[in-house]
């Protein structure tokens, strides 16, 4: 291949990686399960840009608000980058992905799917999720029933890594079975990989509907059950779970995909008459029971790409604006398809400038295929994750730490969000190569008045007791200097948290924080080692410091 062709292919790879991350970031706030708080900040269809938004996080026991900055991406892009890093290990890529990347990802994942997280936890214990001897029957059954889009969304790096289709399909299959066992997840990922490969190698004008036609024509290539080595144990488990019917289910899934492709072709044939959501509805894009399936993701993304291949900007706006759909994954997959065809020409500079880690994404896409690492890693375990999360509480800003697949992380910022019964610390790290990693620690407050379940009465993050004040570590250290020398460490944090929580509650009641309130609060919070007079002075100083 000549230098011009090499450069053209490189731009396609960079464009597909950027397109995937941009689609993820654009679509995440509008995803059906995004848990976005304020729905007033809606999509600007005419000028599609990233937005700042807040999401409900923490589940039932530790509900809180998590702020997402404009351009930040979710698990889709995280796992694309994790897959790309694993390929640096060459023939040992699969071991690196399962034993290093997936377990470590649990610490910094944002919006990760249930099947992928369950599998990652299994790998962090050194146990394949399909292994019947080491997992209970339900766990293995859940694994083989996992047919979601968590595989299709992350396999882009395998297509960029090699131009040999057999190698690509083999790697995609192995990558897929590390988290998902159902053919819906696996066959659809093979189909999507085939589509990306076709576009990478397309140098002439793409005819309207051409991609769909070629995929249907070559169904025997992408739908063939892979003849992969070292999957005997996996296949044996699959046959046990499915009563020796696994390959039949594989074939049924293939037929389901072909039916969907034929429906997509009908939509393409309609041309400008295809101006509603009829085709998307037939592809189950809005069916809450199945819209997260791998089959739906691959079919919808290929259909929307084919419809808007000549106008990616409109296509991205179309997919992001879909109501009740998995918009972050769909937009990520459509964006990767646009990039695989057109390179970077369609991508706005405003997107690249705001996108989280855009320089790192360009770097890792440019270097894909280079084998840099040695097979010298050990399993990254759940114990190591726990120790890491405990240790980061001792770090100062700009200090470095080793973690999992990253040679070095340095602490860029640290914020604390308070609640009546617990606090949430959010650490932002930057890797040695420039990827942003967010890690969250949630801690119960330890005081004598707390019940065994300190959050048993917190069921809604909109309750007035929920604290929404965020302070940096520097702020907390400055406030802690106000306290007497015998009030330090965890005790100081608990006291400050209680003070700030009381202030926030008072503010929400639109009440003035005056001397009467401070005296009442002093009586409520006075404790051993603090006189009434000292505590009253502390409250006045804290109120003055945060200007309430």
């Amino acid at each position: 291949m000549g230098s011009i062709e090499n450069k053209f292919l490189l731009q396609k790879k960079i464009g597909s990686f950027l397109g995937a991350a941009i689609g993820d970031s654009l679509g995440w706030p509008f995803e059906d399960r995004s848990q976005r708080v304020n729905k007033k900040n809606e999509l600007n269809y005419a000028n599609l840009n990233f937005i700042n938004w807040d999401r409900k996080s923490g589940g039932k026991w530790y509900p809180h608000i998590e702020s997402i900055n404009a351009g930040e991406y979710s698990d889709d892009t995280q796992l694309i980058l994790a897959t790309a890093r694993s390929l640096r290990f060459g023939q040992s890529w699969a071991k690196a992905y399962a034993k290093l990347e997936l377990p470590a990802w649990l610490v910094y994942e944002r919006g990760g799917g249930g099947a992928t997280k369950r599998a990652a936890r299994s790998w962090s214990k050194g146990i394949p999720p399909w292994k019947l001897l080491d997992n209970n029957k339900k766990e293995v059954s859940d694994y083989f029933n996992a047919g979601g889009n968590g595989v299709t969304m992350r396999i882009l790096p395998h297509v960029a890594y090699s131009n040999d289709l057999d190698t690509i399909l083999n790697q995609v299959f192995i990558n897929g079975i590390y988290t998902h066992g159902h053919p819906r997840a696996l066959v659809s990922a093979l189909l999507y990989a085939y589509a990306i490969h076709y576009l990478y190698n397309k140098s002439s004008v793409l005819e309207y509907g051409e991609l769909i036609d070629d995929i249907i024509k070559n169904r025997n290539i992408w739908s063939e059950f892979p003849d992969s080595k070292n999957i005997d144990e996996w296949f044996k488990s699959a046959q046990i779970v499915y009563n020796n019917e696994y390959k039949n289910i594989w074939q049924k899934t293939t037929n389901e995909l072909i039916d969907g492709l034929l429906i997509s072709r009908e939509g393409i044939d309609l041309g400008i008459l295809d101006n509603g959501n009829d085709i998307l509805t037939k592809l189950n894009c809005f069916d809450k029971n199945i819209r997260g399936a791998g089959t739906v993701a691959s079919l919808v993304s290929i259909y929307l790409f084919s419809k808007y291949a000549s106008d990616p900007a409109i296509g991205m706006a179309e997919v992001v604006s879909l109501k009740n759909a998995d918009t972050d994954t769909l937009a990520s997959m459509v964006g990767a398809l646009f990039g695989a065809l057109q390179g970077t020409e369609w991508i706005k500079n405003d997107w690249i400038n705001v996108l989280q880690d855009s320089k790192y994404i360009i770097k890792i896409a440019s270097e894909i295929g280079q084998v840099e690492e040695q097979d010298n890693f050990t399993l990254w375990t759940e114990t190591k994750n726990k120790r890491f999360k405990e240790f980061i509480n001792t770090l100062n800003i700009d200090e470095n730490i080793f973690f999992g697949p990253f040679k070095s992380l340095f602490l860029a910022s640290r914020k604390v969000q308070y609640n009546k019964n617990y606090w949430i610390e959010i650490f932002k790290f930057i890797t040695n190569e420039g990827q942003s990693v967010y890690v969250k620690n949630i801690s119960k407050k330890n005081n004598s008045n707390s019940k065994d379940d300190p959050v048993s009465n917190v069921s809604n993050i909109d309750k007035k007791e929920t604290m929404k004040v965020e302070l940096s570590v520097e702020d907390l250290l400055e406030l802690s200097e106000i306290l007497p020398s015998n009030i330090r460490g965890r005790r100081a944090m608990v006291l400050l948290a209680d003070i700030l929580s009381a202030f926030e509650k008072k503010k929400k009641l639109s009440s003035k924080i005056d001397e009467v309130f401070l005296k009442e609060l002093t009586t409520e919070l006075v404790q051993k080692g603090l006189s009434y007079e000292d505590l009253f002075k502390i409250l006045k100083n804290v109120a003055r410091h945060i200007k309430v």
Side-chain angles (χ1 to χ4, degrees):
M1 181 179 289
S3 59
I4 295 178
E5 290 175 307
N6 276 325
K7 187 175 181 181
F8 184 51
L9 180 57
L10 177 60
Q11 288 303 305
K12 283 172 170 268
K13 292 179 180 181
I14 294 172
S16 61
F17 274 67
L18 285 173
I22 289 167
D24 179 14
S25 301
L26 289 171
W28 191 16
F30 305 98
E31 175 199 19
D32 56 342
R33 58 184 182 89
S34 68
Q35 297 294 303
R36 186 156 61 104
V37 175
N38 186 358
K39 298 294 180 71
K40 292 180 180 179
N41 194 356
E42 292 295 343
L43 174 72
N44 185 342
Y45 191 97
N47 186 25
L48 189 61
N49 283 312
F50 304 118
I51 64 170
N52 296 305
W53 59 291
D54 295 327
R55 68 190 295 255
K56 298 177 183 179
S57 190
K60 177 181 179 181
W61 299 115
Y62 300 104
H64 61 277
I65 298 296
E66 180 180 3
S67 295
I68 309 296
N69 296 320
E72 290 187 342
Y73 52 72
S74 74
D75 60 311
D76 299 60
T77 304
Q78 288 180 331
L79 290 170
I80 286 174
L81 297 175
T83 296
R85 278 193 302 271
S86 71
L87 289 166
R88 291 174 171 175
F89 288 88
Q91 293 184 351
S92 298
W93 74 266
K95 186 190 298 184
Y97 187 70
K99 294 188 175 183
L100 187 61
E101 291 287 352
L102 280 175
W105 170 75
L106 286 169
V107 170
Y108 67 92
E109 62 88 10
R110 296 185 102 181
T116 305
K117 288 192 285 189
R118 287 194 300 271
R121 283 192 287 268
S122 185
W123 286 112
S124 74
K125 300 173 185 175
I127 302 171
W130 58 79
K131 197 166 184 179
L132 288 163
L133 293 177
D134 295 318
N135 296 291
N136 65 50
K137 188 175 181 180
K138 184 181 184 306
E139 288 172 335
V140 176
S141 178
D142 287 345
Y143 161 77
F144 278 108
N145 284 325
N149 56 35
V151 182
T152 57
M153 72 183 194
R154 71 178 187 242
I155 52 80
L156 172 65
H158 292 294
V159 193
Y161 178 78
S162 173
N163 197 43
D164 179 74
L165 190 55
D166 288 340
T167 299
I168 292 168
L169 297 178
N170 180 272
Q171 288 188 353
V172 167
F173 175 73
I174 295 298
N175 184 311
I177 66 173
Y178 281 163
T179 58
H180 292 65
H182 197 283
R184 276 203 177 96
L186 303 174
V187 187
S188 55
L190 297 172
L191 164 61
Y192 182 70
Y194 179 90
I196 293 285
H197 174 74
Y198 184 85
L199 296 176
Y200 273 166
N201 288 279
K202 183 68 179 176
S203 57
S204 57
V205 175
L206 184 74
E207 300 296 330
Y208 196 55
E210 176 184 338
L211 178 62
I212 296 174
D213 290 340
D214 188 85
I215 293 172
I216 294 173
K217 178 182 176 181
N218 291 292
R219 61 178 291 180
N220 291 335
I221 295 176
W222 53 263
S223 68
E224 183 179 4
F225 189 82
D227 184 20
S228 299
K229 298 178 181 178
N230 302 321
I231 65 165
D232 290 347
E233 181 185 65
W234 174 85
F235 187 64
K236 182 178 179 181
S237 295
Q239 290 290 73
I240 291 172
V241 170
Y242 284 106
N243 297 316
N244 297 316
E245 289 291 315
Y246 192 84
K247 286 193 175 182
N248 289 334
I249 297 172
W250 184 280
Q251 185 58 51
K252 289 179 180 178
T253 303
T254 300
N255 294 338
E256 181 182 329
L257 287 166
I258 293 297
D259 290 342
L261 289 166
L262 293 173
I263 291 171
S264 300
R265 196 63 178 89
E266 290 175 10
I268 295 299
D269 289 339
L270 288 171
I272 61 172
L273 297 177
D274 178 27
N275 57 3
N277 286 332
D278 289 349
I279 298 299
L280 292 174
T281 300
K282 290 180 181 178
L283 295 177
N284 299 309
C285 182
F286 312 109
D287 185 340
K288 65 180 181 180
N289 295 317
I290 196 174
R291 63 192 177 203
T295 47
V296 174
S298 60
L299 290 170
V300 171
S301 61
I302 288 170
Y303 165 67
L304 289 174
F305 162 79
S306 298
K307 184 177 179 179
Y308 295 103
S310 61
D311 198 344
I314 297 296
M316 290 298 285
E318 179 75 13
V319 64
V320 172
S321 67
L322 294 174
K323 301 293 184 182
N324 300 315
D326 197 357
T327 49
D328 62 335
T329 295
L330 292 177
S332 176
M333 292 173 63
V334 172
L337 290 166
F338 284 143
L341 177 66
Q342 298 200 17
T344 58
E345 291 181 0
W346 65 282
I347 299 175
K348 298 190 297 183
N349 287 331
D350 288 348
W351 285 344
I352 297 177
N353 293 337
V354 179
L355 176 67
Q356 175 189 343
D357 306 332
S358 58
K359 290 183 179 178
Y360 174 64
I361 292 169
I362 292 171
K363 177 181 183 293
I364 206 165
S366 302
E367 296 174 351
I368 197 78
Q370 297 179 17
V371 178
E372 304 172 356
E373 308 290 349
Q374 301 297 319
D375 185 5
N376 58 358
F377 57 85
T378 56
L379 171 68
W380 191 261
T381 64
E382 60 180 352
T383 300
K384 292 178 181 178
N385 281 341
K386 183 179 179 180
R387 289 175 181 170
F388 170 79
K389 295 191 75 175
E390 290 173 347
F391 183 76
I392 60 177
N393 287 312
T394 69
L395 289 178
N396 296 316
I397 302 299
D398 291 335
E399 285 191 332
N400 290 279
I401 185 173
F402 168 79
F403 171 68
F406 307 113
K407 293 179 180 177
S408 177
L409 297 178
F410 81 88
L411 182 58
S413 67
R414 181 177 180 178
K415 293 184 178 181
V416 181
Q417 184 182 133
Y418 293 101
N419 185 282
K420 182 178 180 181
N421 295 309
Y422 53 92
W423 62 74
I424 301 97
E425 293 178 277
I426 300 175
F427 302 80
K428 180 181 179 180
F429 292 94
I430 307 295
T431 74
N432 60 297
E433 292 187 281
Q435 183 178 359
S436 305
V437 174
Y438 291 90
V439 179
K440 189 184 300 182
N441 271 347
I442 300 177
S443 305
K444 294 182 181 180
K445 291 182 182 177
N446 183 19
N447 59 58
S448 58
N449 296 322
S450 63
K451 298 179 180 180
D452 291 339
D453 180 7
V455 290
S456 59
N457 295 320
V458 180
S459 59
N460 191 317
I461 67 168
D462 293 325
K463 284 191 174 183
K464 291 178 180 178
E465 291 83 1
T466 300
M467 188 66 187
K468 295 183 180 178
V469 171
E470 292 187 358
L471 294 173
S472 68
V473 170
E474 289 82 0
D475 292 331
L476 289 171
L477 290 173
E478 190 171 345
L479 285 173
S480 68
E481 293 299 320
I482 299 170
L483 303 178
S485 59
N486 63 327
I487 307 294
R488 285 289 181 264
R490 172 84 48 185
R491 189 179 175 196
M493 292 287 285
V494 170
L495 177 60
L496 287 172
D498 288 339
I499 293 170
L500 292 168
S501 183
F503 284 177
E504 180 70 15
K505 183 177 180 180
K506 191 73 171 176
K507 286 168 62 181
K508 286 182 179 179
L509 294 173
S510 300
S511 301
K512 186 178 179 180
I513 296 178
D514 54 16
E515 189 160 311
V516 173
F517 168 74
L518 292 178
K519 287 181 178 180
E520 291 175 349
L521 185 58
T522 302
T523 302
E524 179 182 339
L525 296 180
V526 71
Q527 54 187 264
K528 185 178 179 180
L530 268 178
S531 68
Y532 180 95
E533 292 75 18
D534 285 341
L535 182 56
F536 182 67
K537 289 178 182 178
I538 290 168
L539 292 177
K540 290 182 69 175
N541 283 332
V542 172
R544 188 181 304 114
H545 183 86
I546 63 176
K547 299 177 182 179
V548 296

